[in-house]
Amino acid sequence: MRTLTCSLILLLLCFSKTYSQNDYRSGYIINNSNDTIYGFINYKGNKANAMKCVFKKEENSEEQEFSPNDIKAYRFINNKFYVSKLLTSNSNEKLFLEMLIDGIVDIYYYRDNKGEHYLIDNGDGKLYELRNDEREVIINEQKYKRRSNEYIGMLKYFFSKAPALSKEIENTTLNHKSLINITQKYHKQICTNEECIVYEKKLPKKKALWGPILGLNITNVSVVNNFTDDYYYLRNSHFQTAIYPSIGLFYNNNLFYWNERLNFQYEITYRRVNLESSGSFIGKSTGINYLNDIKLIQKSINNTFILEYEFTNYKIRPSIQLGGFLNYYFSNDYKRNLVALLNNNDVFFTEKYTKYPFSNYDYGVNIGVGFKGKLFNKKDFFVDMRYQRGMGLLKNINTNSYSINIGVKISK
């Protein structure tokens, strides 16, 4: 089991390393001579896109890496547009800023280790950051943290030629959609003969999909022997590996506003698991050998929560997964047969126990990899391979589960 666990983790890392590097999309760069060169640009996250542009003239060409000092701008076709800019006039630090809207007033965006940043250019070529810092205030000798909302005052100042927007500015939030919306309205009021350009990628509507899911599961119970006397019969226990199916439903939603490749998936499934264990324990003072055989049939409703990163630029789309689970065991048929043997192996006494000693809940984490594609009738399907580590049945008992799951998306 340990070998299988390590293999799955290694496979997970290999997928991440192999596929996360390349996602070339049609685009162009504008060099420092104002020449436009079409080709393919590696699509990265917001932080990476601000630092460099990795470009290919043709799909099979060698990569060229450009810093903000090397080119003026780059753009993905019908998608994001990045412009090389100095953050401040007295700084030599240049970044590729994502231009959200180009009008009388321009709005830019970038992300770094400190978080998200929005900047405004009111036409004088200078960049001013729209800030909403968290500050500590003292009221009646009590400390509170509040947002400064400094950006609202700045927007009112820069949009002062349209006083009718003042009330709406107060309801503006510091995000792409809200800033683009208020800037467009300002542009339309001030400049009636020219359209502003919105460069932000138009996000599709969030897709919520669901469908049936089937799984084949393998569970192994690992036992640590330092149990209390109440659970002496679990010392030296050896649980047999259980193989069983599962059936249920899944719900999948794409988290476009965080990352277009990120999905959230919830699964609710039913399982029936047969677990068997045998173990022995010799009393220190009596020398009696206690033999315990346990048979347990569990029926459970299982809740699995997954964040899935999908590599979207392939027909068969790989994915990597990380999440957690909470299983509820609503039915537990527990039987423990105890046989006590004397030194000469004669039976001293026998007992039978049916009181369930474990928790009705198991919880833990899971990791996995998967593949997505389409069936002949154009329905989306997926195949996942996962490892789950459970830590909730009882102290010193962990469950290790391995599963292959197949789901078909039938509705949205």
Side-chain angles (χ1 to χ4, degrees), residues 91 195 301 410:
S91 169
E195 288 289 330
I301 296 296
I410 63 173

PDB file of all heavy atoms in Angstrom, residues 91 195 301 410:
ATOM      1  N   SER A  91      10.902  55.051 -10.485  1.00  0.00           N
ATOM      2  CA  SER A  91      11.316  53.665 -10.290  1.00  0.00           C
ATOM      3  C   SER A  91      11.775  53.084 -11.614  1.00  0.00           C
ATOM      4  O   SER A  91      11.309  53.471 -12.687  1.00  0.00           O
ATOM      5  CB  SER A  91      10.150  52.833  -9.735  1.00  0.00           C
ATOM      6  OG  SER A  91      10.461  51.461  -9.790  1.00  0.00           O
ATOM      7  N   GLU A 195     -15.633  55.121 -28.919  1.00  0.00           N
ATOM      8  CA  GLU A 195     -15.846  53.994 -28.015  1.00  0.00           C
ATOM      9  C   GLU A 195     -14.555  53.669 -27.262  1.00  0.00           C
ATOM     10  O   GLU A 195     -13.459  53.764 -27.822  1.00  0.00           O
ATOM     11  CB  GLU A 195     -16.295  52.753 -28.793  1.00  0.00           C
ATOM     12  CG  GLU A 195     -17.716  52.827 -29.331  1.00  0.00           C
ATOM     13  CD  GLU A 195     -18.762  52.725 -28.230  1.00  0.00           C
ATOM     14  OE1 GLU A 195     -18.490  52.058 -27.213  1.00  0.00           O
ATOM     15  OE2 GLU A 195     -19.838  53.331 -28.382  1.00  0.00           O
ATOM     16  N   ILE A 301     -22.683   7.098   3.803  1.00  0.00           N
ATOM     17  CA  ILE A 301     -22.881   8.193   2.856  1.00  0.00           C
ATOM     18  C   ILE A 301     -21.609   9.024   2.898  1.00  0.00           C
ATOM     19  O   ILE A 301     -21.177   9.475   3.963  1.00  0.00           O
ATOM     20  CB  ILE A 301     -24.085   9.062   3.226  1.00  0.00           C
ATOM     21  CG1 ILE A 301     -25.375   8.243   3.144  1.00  0.00           C
ATOM     22  CG2 ILE A 301     -24.170  10.280   2.323  1.00  0.00           C
ATOM     23  CD1 ILE A 301     -25.711   7.747   1.747  1.00  0.00           C
ATOM     24  N   ILE A 410     -24.255  14.762 -17.397  1.00  0.00           N
ATOM     25  CA  ILE A 410     -25.478  14.615 -18.193  1.00  0.00           C
ATOM     26  C   ILE A 410     -26.342  15.856 -18.212  1.00  0.00           C
ATOM     27  O   ILE A 410     -27.314  15.926 -18.941  1.00  0.00           O
ATOM     28  CB  ILE A 410     -26.318  13.420 -17.687  1.00  0.00           C
ATOM     29  CG1 ILE A 410     -26.773  13.673 -16.252  1.00  0.00           C
ATOM     30  CG2 ILE A 410     -25.559  12.124 -17.811  1.00  0.00           C
ATOM     31  CD1 ILE A 410     -27.741  12.625 -15.733  1.00  0.00           C
TER      32      ILE A 410
END
